[in-house]
Coordinates of all heavy atoms in Angstrom, one line a residue:
M1406 N 95.0 71.1 79.0 CA 96.4 71.6 79.3 C 97.3 70.5 79.6 O 96.9 69.5 80.3 CB 96.3 72.6 80.4 CG 96.0 74.0 80.1 SD 96.4 75.0 81.5 CE 95.2 76.3 81.2
S1407 N 98.5 70.6 79.2 CA 99.5 69.6 79.6 C 100.0 69.8 81.0 O 99.8 70.9 81.6 CB 100.6 69.6 78.6 OG 101.4 70.8 78.8
G1408 N 100.7 68.8 81.5 CA 101.2 68.9 82.9 C 102.2 69.9 83.0 O 102.2 70.6 84.1
S1409 N 103.1 70.2 82.0 CA 104.1 71.2 82.1 C 103.5 72.6 82.1 O 104.0 73.5 82.8 CB 105.1 71.0 81.0 OG 104.5 71.2 79.8
T1410 N 102.4 72.8 81.4 CA 101.7 74.1 81.4 C 101.1 74.4 82.8 O 101.2 75.5 83.3 CB 100.6 74.1 80.3 OG1 101.2 73.8 79.1 CG2 100.0 75.5 80.3
L1411 N 100.5 73.4 83.4 CA 100.0 73.6 84.7 C 101.0 73.9 85.8 O 100.9 74.7 86.7 CB 99.2 72.4 85.2 CG 97.8 72.2 84.4 CD1 97.2 70.9 84.8 CD2 96.9 73.3 84.7
V1412 N 102.2 73.2 85.6 CA 103.3 73.5 86.6 C 103.8 74.9 86.4 O 104.0 75.6 87.3 CB 104.4 72.5 86.3 CG1 105.7 72.9 87.1 CG2 104.0 71.1 86.7
L1413 N 103.9 75.4 85.1 CA 104.3 76.7 84.9 C 103.3 77.8 85.4 O 103.7 78.8 86.0 CB 104.5 76.9 83.4 CG 105.0 78.3 82.9 CD1 106.4 78.6 83.5 CD2 105.0 78.4 81.4
V1414 N 102.1 77.5 85.2 CA 101.0 78.5 85.7 C 101.1 78.5 87.3 O 101.0 79.6 87.9 CB 99.6 78.0 85.2 CG1 98.5 78.8 86.0 CG2 99.5 78.3 83.7
E1415 N 101.2 77.3 87.9 CA 101.3 77.3 89.4 C 102.5 78.0 89.9 O 102.5 78.8 90.8 CB 101.3 75.9 89.8 CG 101.2 75.8 91.4 CD 101.2 74.3 91.8 OE1 101.1 73.4 91.0 OE2 101.2 74.1 93.1
L1416 N 103.6 77.8 89.2 CA 104.9 78.5 89.6 C 104.7 80.0 89.5 O 105.2 80.7 90.4 CB 106.0 78.0 88.7 CG 107.4 78.5 89.0 CD1 107.9 78.1 90.4 CD2 108.4 78.1 87.9
L1417 N 104.1 80.5 88.4 CA 104.0 81.9 88.2 C 103.0 82.5 89.2 O 103.3 83.6 89.7 CB 103.5 82.2 86.8 CG 104.5 82.0 85.7 CD1 103.8 82.2 84.3 CD2 105.7 82.9 85.8
L1418 N 102.0 81.8 89.6 CA 101.1 82.2 90.6 C 101.8 82.3 92.0 O 101.6 83.3 92.7 CB 99.8 81.3 90.7 CG 98.8 81.5 89.6 CD1 97.7 80.4 89.7 CD2 98.2 82.9 89.6
V1419 N 102.5 81.3 92.3 CA 103.2 81.3 93.6 C 104.3 82.5 93.6 O 104.4 83.2 94.6 CB 103.9 80.0 93.9 CG1 104.8 80.0 95.1 CG2 102.8 78.9 94.2
L1420 N 105.0 82.6 92.6 CA 106.1 83.6 92.5 C 105.4 85.0 92.5 O 105.9 85.9 93.2 CB 106.9 83.4 91.2 CG 108.0 84.4 91.0 CD1 109.1 84.2 92.1 CD2 108.7 84.2 89.7
G1421 N 104.3 85.2 91.9 CA 103.6 86.5 91.9 C 103.1 86.8 93.3 O 103.2 87.9 93.8
G1422 N 102.6 85.8 94.0 CA 102.2 86.0 95.4 C 103.4 86.4 96.3 O 103.3 87.3 97.1
V1423 N 104.5 85.7 96.2 CA 105.6 86.0 97.0 C 106.2 87.4 96.7 O 106.5 88.1 97.6 CB 106.7 84.9 96.8 CG1 108.0 85.3 97.4 CG2 106.2 83.6 97.4
M1424 N 106.3 87.7 95.4 CA 106.8 89.0 95.1 C 105.9 90.1 95.5 O 106.3 91.2 96.0 CB 107.0 89.1 93.5 CG 108.1 88.2 93.0 SD 109.7 88.7 93.7 CE 110.0 90.2 93.0
G1425 N 104.6 89.9 95.4 CA 103.6 90.9 95.9 C 103.7 91.1 97.4 O 103.7 92.3 97.9
W1426 N 103.9 90.0 98.2 CA 104.0 90.2 99.6 C 105.3 90.9 100.0 O 105.4 91.7 100.9 CB 104.1 88.8 100.2 CG 104.4 88.8 101.7 CD1 103.6 89.1 102.7 CD2 105.7 88.5 102.3 NE1 104.3 89.0 103.9 CE2 105.5 88.6 103.6 CE3 106.9 88.1 101.7 CZ2 106.6 88.4 104.5 CZ3 107.9 87.9 102.6 CH2 107.8 88.1 104.0
A1427 N 106.4 90.6 99.2 CA 107.7 91.3 99.5 C 107.6 92.8 99.2 O 108.1 93.6 100.0 CB 108.8 90.6 98.6
V1428 N 107.0 93.1 98.1 CA 106.8 94.6 97.8 C 106.0 95.2 98.9 O 106.3 96.3 99.4 CB 106.2 94.8 96.4 CG1 105.8 96.2 96.2 CG2 107.2 94.3 95.4
W1429 N 104.9 94.6 99.3 CA 104.1 95.2 100.4 C 104.9 95.4 101.7 O 104.7 96.4 102.3 CB 102.9 94.2 100.6 CG 102.1 94.7 101.8 CD1 102.1 94.2 103.1 CD2 101.1 95.7 101.8 NE1 101.3 94.8 103.9 CE2 100.6 95.8 103.2 CE3 100.6 96.6 100.9 CZ2 99.7 96.7 103.5 CZ3 99.7 97.5 101.3 CH2 99.2 97.6 102.6
E1430 N 105.7 94.4 102.1 CA 106.5 94.5 103.3 C 107.5 95.6 103.2 O 107.7 96.4 104.1 CB 107.2 93.2 103.6 CG 106.3 92.1 104.1 CD 105.7 92.5 105.5 OE1 106.4 93.0 106.4 OE2 104.5 92.3 105.7
L1431 N 108.2 95.7 102.1 CA 109.1 96.8 101.9 C 108.4 98.2 102.0 O 109.0 99.1 102.6 CB 109.9 96.7 100.6 CG 110.9 95.5 100.5 CD1 111.4 95.4 99.1 CD2 112.0 95.7 101.5
W1432 N 107.3 98.3 101.3 CA 106.5 99.6 101.4 C 106.1 99.9 102.8 O 106.2 101.0 103.3 CB 105.3 99.5 100.5 CG 104.5 100.7 100.4 CD1 104.8 101.9 99.7 CD2 103.3 100.9 101.0 NE1 103.8 102.8 99.9 CE2 102.8 102.2 100.7 CE3 102.4 100.1 101.8 CZ2 101.6 102.7 101.2 CZ3 101.2 100.6 102.3 CH2 100.9 101.9 102.0
S1433 N 105.7 98.9 103.5 CA 105.2 99.1 104.9 C 106.4 99.5 105.8 O 106.2 100.4 106.7 CB 104.6 97.8 105.4 OG 104.2 97.9 106.8
V1434 N 107.5 98.9 105.7 CA 108.7 99.2 106.5 C 109.2 100.6 106.2 O 109.5 101.4 107.1 CB 109.8 98.2 106.3 CG1 111.1 98.7 106.8 CG2 109.5 96.9 106.9
R1435 N 109.2 101.0 104.9 CA 109.6 102.3 104.5 C 108.6 103.4 105.1 O 109.1 104.4 105.6 CB 109.6 102.4 103.0 CG 110.1 103.7 102.5 CD 110.1 103.7 101.0 NE 110.5 105.0 100.4 CZ 110.5 105.2 99.2 NH1 110.2 104.3 98.3 NH2 110.8 106.5 98.7
R1436 N 107.3 103.1 105.1 CA 106.4 104.0 105.7 C 106.6 104.1 107.2 O 106.5 105.2 107.7 CB 105.0 103.5 105.4 CG 103.9 104.5 105.9 CD 102.5 103.9 105.6 NE 102.4 102.6 106.2 CZ 101.5 101.7 105.9 NH1 100.6 101.9 105.0 NH2 101.5 100.5 106.5
Q1437 N 106.8 103.0 107.8 CA 107.1 103.1 109.3 C 108.3 103.8 109.6 O 108.3 104.6 110.6 CB 107.2 101.6 109.8 CG 107.3 101.6 111.3 CD 106.0 102.1 112.0 OE1 104.9 101.8 111.6 NE2 106.2 102.9 113.1
L1438 N 109.4 103.7 108.9 CA 110.6 104.4 109.1 C 110.4 105.9 108.9 O 110.9 106.7 109.7 CB 111.7 103.9 108.2 CG 112.3 102.6 108.5 CD1 113.3 102.2 107.3 CD2 113.0 102.6 109.8
R1439 N 109.6 106.3 107.9 CA 109.3 107.7 107.7 C 108.5 108.3 108.9 O 108.8 109.3 109.4 CB 108.5 107.8 106.4 CG 108.3 109.3 106.0 CD 107.3 109.4 104.9 NE 106.0 108.9 105.3 CZ 105.2 108.2 104.6 NH1 105.6 107.8 103.4 NH2 104.1 107.7 105.0
D1440 N 107.5 107.5 109.3 CA 106.7 108.0 110.4 C 107.5 108.1 111.7 O 107.4 109.1 112.5 CB 105.5 107.0 110.7 CG 104.5 107.0 109.6 OD1 104.5 108.0 108.7 OD2 103.7 106.1 109.5
D1441 N 108.4 107.1 112.0 CA 109.3 107.2 113.1 C 110.2 108.4 113.1 O 110.5 109.1 114.0 CB 110.1 105.9 113.3 CG 109.3 104.8 113.7 OD1 108.1 105.0 114.1 OD2 109.8 103.6 113.6
R1442 N 110.8 108.6 111.9 CA 111.7 109.8 111.7 C 111.0 111.1 111.9 O 111.5 112.0 112.6 CB 112.3 109.7 110.3 CG 113.4 110.8 110.1 CD 114.0 110.7 108.7 NE 113.0 110.9 107.7 CZ 112.6 110.0 106.8 NH1 113.2 108.8 106.8 NH2 111.7 110.3 105.9
D1443 N 109.8 111.2 111.4 CA 109.0 112.4 111.6 C 108.6 112.6 113.0 O 108.6 113.8 113.5 CB 107.7 112.4 110.7 CG 108.0 112.4 109.2 OD1 109.1 112.8 108.9 OD2 107.0 112.1 108.5
R1444 N 108.3 111.5 113.7 CA 108.0 111.6 115.1 C 109.2 112.1 116.0 O 109.1 112.9 116.9 CB 107.5 110.3 115.6 CG 106.8 110.3 117.0 CD 106.2 109.0 117.4 NE 105.3 108.5 116.3 CZ 105.4 107.3 115.7 NH1 106.5 106.5 116.0 NH2 104.6 106.9 114.8
L1445 N 110.4 111.6 115.6 CA 111.6 112.0 116.3 C 111.9 113.5 116.0 O 112.3 114.2 116.9 CB 112.8 111.2 115.8 CG 112.9 109.8 116.5 CD1 114.0 109.0 115.8 CD2 113.2 109.9 118.0
R1446 N 111.7 113.9 114.8 CA 111.9 115.3 114.5 C 111.0 116.2 115.2 O 111.4 117.3 115.7 CB 111.7 115.6 113.0 CG 112.9 115.1 112.1 CD 112.6 115.4 110.7 NE 113.8 115.0 109.9 CZ 113.8 114.8 108.6 NH1 112.6 114.9 107.9 NH2 114.8 114.4 108.0
Q1447 N 109.7 115.8 115.3 CA 108.7 116.6 116.1 C 109.1 116.7 117.5 O 109.0 117.7 118.2 CB 107.3 116.0 115.9 CG 106.2 116.8 116.5 CD 106.1 118.2 116.0 OE1 106.3 118.4 114.8 NE2 105.9 119.2 116.8
A1448 N 109.5 115.5 118.1 CA 109.8 115.5 119.5 C 111.1 116.4 119.8 O 111.1 117.1 120.8 CB 110.1 114.1 120.0
G1449 N 112.0 116.4 118.9 CA 113.2 117.2 119.0 C 112.9 118.7 118.8 O 113.4 119.5 119.6
A1450 N 112.0 119.0 117.9 CA 111.6 120.4 117.7 C 110.8 120.9 119.0 O 111.0 122.0 119.4 CB 110.7 120.5 116.5
D1451 N 110.0 120.1 119.6 CA 109.3 120.5 120.8 C 110.3 120.7 121.9 O 110.1 121.6 122.7 CB 108.3 119.4 121.2 CG 107.1 119.3 120.2 OD1 106.9 120.2 119.4 OD2 106.4 118.3 120.3
R1452 N 111.3 119.8 122.0 CA 112.2 119.9 123.1 C 113.2 121.0 123.0 O 113.6 121.6 123.9 CB 113.0 118.6 123.2 CG 113.9 118.5 124.5 CD 114.5 117.1 124.6 NE 115.3 116.8 123.4 CZ 115.2 115.8 122.6 NH1 114.2 114.9 122.8 NH2 116.0 115.6 121.6
Q1453 N 113.6 121.4 121.7 CA 114.6 122.4 121.5 C 114.1 123.7 121.0 O 114.9 124.5 120.5 CB 115.6 121.8 120.5 CG 116.3 120.5 121.0 CD 117.7 120.5 120.7 OE1 118.2 121.3 119.9 NE2 118.5 119.6 121.3
G1454 N 112.8 123.9 121.0 CA 112.2 125.1 120.5 C 112.3 125.3 119.0 O 112.6 126.4 118.5
G1455 N 112.1 124.2 118.3 CA 112.1 124.3 116.8 C 113.4 123.9 116.1 O 113.4 123.9 114.9
Q1456 N 114.4 123.5 116.8 CA 115.7 123.2 116.2 C 115.6 121.8 115.5 O 116.1 121.6 114.5 CB 116.8 123.2 117.2 CG 117.1 124.6 117.8 CD 117.8 125.5 116.8 OE1 118.5 125.0 115.9 NE2 117.5 126.8 116.8
G1457 N 115.0 120.8 116.2 CA 114.9 119.5 115.7 C 116.2 118.7 116.0 O 117.3 119.2 116.0
G1458 N 116.0 117.4 116.3 CA 117.2 116.5 116.5 C 117.6 116.6 117.9 O 117.3 117.4 118.7
P1459 N 118.5 115.6 118.3 CA 119.0 115.6 119.6 C 120.1 116.7 119.9 O 120.6 117.2 118.9 CB 119.7 114.2 119.7 CG 119.8 113.7 118.3 CD 118.8 114.4 117.5
P1460 N 120.3 117.0 121.1 CA 121.3 118.1 121.4 C 122.6 117.9 120.7 O 123.2 116.8 120.8 CB 121.4 118.1 122.9 CG 120.2 117.4 123.4 CD 119.8 116.4 122.3
G1461 N 123.1 118.9 120.1 CA 124.5 118.8 119.5 C 124.5 118.1 118.1 O 125.6 118.0 117.6
S1462 N 123.4 117.6 117.6 CA 123.5 116.9 116.4 C 123.3 117.7 115.2 O 123.6 117.3 114.0 CB 122.4 115.8 116.4 OG 121.1 116.4 116.2
G1463 N 122.8 118.9 115.3 CA 122.5 119.8 114.2 C 121.3 119.3 113.4 O 121.1 119.6 112.2
G1464 N 120.4 118.6 114.0 CA 119.2 118.0 113.4 C 119.4 116.6 112.9 O 120.5 116.1 112.9
I1465 N 118.4 116.0 112.5 CA 118.4 114.6 112.1 C 118.8 114.6 110.6 O 118.1 115.3 109.8 CB 117.1 113.9 112.3 CG1 116.8 113.8 113.8 CG2 117.1 112.5 111.7 CD1 115.5 113.2 114.1
P1466 N 119.8 113.9 110.1 CA 120.1 114.0 108.7 C 119.0 113.4 107.8 O 118.3 112.5 108.3 CB 121.4 113.1 108.6 CG 121.4 112.2 109.8 CD 120.6 113.0 110.9
P1467 N 118.9 113.8 106.6 CA 117.8 113.3 105.8 C 118.1 111.8 105.4 O 119.3 111.4 105.3 CB 117.9 114.2 104.5 CG 119.3 114.8 104.5 CD 119.7 114.9 106.0
S1468 N 117.1 111.1 105.2 CA 117.2 109.7 104.9 C 117.4 109.6 103.4 O 116.9 110.4 102.6 CB 115.9 109.0 105.3 OG 115.9 107.7 104.8
R1469 N 118.0 108.5 102.9 CA 118.1 108.2 101.5 C 116.8 107.8 100.9 O 116.7 107.7 99.7 CB 119.2 107.2 101.2 CG 118.9 105.9 101.8 CD 120.0 104.9 101.6 NE 119.8 103.7 102.2 CZ 119.8 102.5 101.6 NH1 120.2 102.4 100.3 NH2 119.5 101.4 102.2
F1470 N 115.8 107.6 101.8 CA 114.5 107.1 101.3 C 113.5 108.3 101.2 O 112.3 108.1 100.9 CB 113.9 106.1 102.3 CG 114.7 104.9 102.4 CD1 115.3 104.5 103.6 CD2 114.8 104.0 101.3 CE1 116.0 103.4 103.6 CE2 115.5 102.9 101.4 CZ 116.1 102.5 102.5
D1471 N 113.9 109.5 101.4 CA 113.1 110.7 101.3 C 112.6 110.9 99.8 O 113.2 110.6 98.9 CB 113.7 112.0 101.7 CG 113.7 112.0 103.3 OD1 112.9 111.3 103.9 OD2 114.5 112.8 103.8

């Protein structure tokens, strides 16, 4: 293999690793936000007898990530 081919292969491997990590982090954050939102809804439902959300809010608005 020539030197430029090895550089290209190494660049693609590094870029693939970085992109994989970034996708994993975004997926993890999205899952955590969903879990937090569900936990808040459950806490509001317990506190308000099934209504959900903080008092006077009419419930927690849906997320654009649903």
Side-chain angles (χ1 to χ4, degrees):
M1406 275 193 206
S1407 69
S1409 61
T1410 304
L1411 288 176
V1412 168
L1413 180 63
V1414 168
E1415 183 178 358
L1416 180 66
L1417 289 175
L1418 286 173
V1419 169
L1420 185 61
V1423 169
M1424 291 300 292
W1426 173 79
V1428 168
W1429 173 261
E1430 284 296 316
L1431 289 172
W1432 181 74
S1433 176
V1434 166
R1435 184 175 174 186
R1436 183 182 56 196
Q1437 185 65 43
L1438 288 172
R1439 184 190 66 222
D1440 291 347
D1441 290 347
R1442 186 178 61 243
D1443 292 345
R1444 194 173 306 119
L1445 281 173
R1446 283 183 180 159
Q1447 183 62 38
D1451 291 345
R1452 187 175 61 240
Q1453 299 220 348
Q1456 295 288 328
S1462 71
I1465 297 175
S1468 170
R1469 63 185 176 126
F1470 297 113
D1471 284 340

